[in-house]
Amino acid sequence: QVPVVESGGGLVQAGGSLRLSCTAAGLILDDYGMGWFRQAPGKEREIVSCLSRSGGRSYTASVKGRFSISKDSAKNTMYLQMDSLKFEDTAIYYCAINSRSPWDCAMSTADYSYWGQGTQVTVSS
C-alpha cells in the first residue's frame, strides 16, 4: 500500500483560507493523475478537484473560483488552495492518486488507486 499523506487541515472562520498538501512516499507524482475529494458527515465522498498527468484541471461547481489545485514537482507535493471558505466546505478532505488513467482528470472515486487517511477542515460560520 502506498502511504499517501495529507496535511494542512484545521479550523478556520468563514471567508478564511487553508492550503492542503499531499505527498506519497515512493511515488513520483508527475507520473500520475491526482485528485482531492471530501466527505461531510452523513454524505457520500465527492470530488473537489482533479489534476491530470498532463496538467488538466477540473473543479466541482461549488468550489470553482475559490479553490485551486496545483503541484510542485520539485517537492513531489500536490496542493489544494482553498480561499473564501464557507461553512458548507466543512468535511474530511482526502488526497487520491490515479494510476489507472493518469492522463485523465478523473472525477470518480473508482478511478483512484491510492488514498490518504484524510485531513479535517472545519469552517465556522
Side-chain angles (χ1 to χ4, degrees):
Q1 190 68 13
V2 174
V4 180
V5 179
E6 307 95 336
S7 62
L11 173 63
V12 64
Q13 288 187 333
S17 298
L18 284 173
R19 188 178 75 162
L20 306 183
S21 300
C22 173
T23 60
L27 293 182
I28 299 174
L29 297 186
D30 282 347
D31 293 340
Y32 300 90
M34 302 189 72
W36 287 99
F37 290 76
R38 66 185 180 187
Q39 188 167 16
K43 295 187 177 181
E44 292 190 356
R45 193 170 297 189
E46 63 172 358
I47 183 73
V48 175
S49 181
C50 59
L51 177 64
S52 73
R53 183 175 175 180
S54 61
R57 293 166 170 81
S58 186
Y59 301 90
T60 193
S62 62
V63 308
K64 281 182 180 178
R66 300 190 296 121
F67 290 12
S68 178
I69 192 170
S70 63
K71 182 174 58 178
D72 186 330
S73 298
K75 295 182 178 180
N76 203 39
T77 301
M78 182 180 68
Y79 302 100
L80 184 68
Q81 178 67 41
M82 305 187 295
D83 299 320
S84 302
L85 281 160
K86 302 177 180 180
F87 175 75
E88 50 265 39
D89 294 319
T90 296
I92 299 174
Y93 283 70
Y94 298 90
C95 172
I97 297 174
N98 171 15
S99 63
R100 298 188 179 104
S101 55
W103 297 104
D104 296 335
C105 194
M107 302 292 279
S108 169
T109 56
D111 295 313
Y112 290 84
S113 306
Y114 309 115
W115 292 83
Q117 294 299 308
T119 184
Q120 176 71 47
V121 172
T122 303
V123 184
S124 62
S125 59

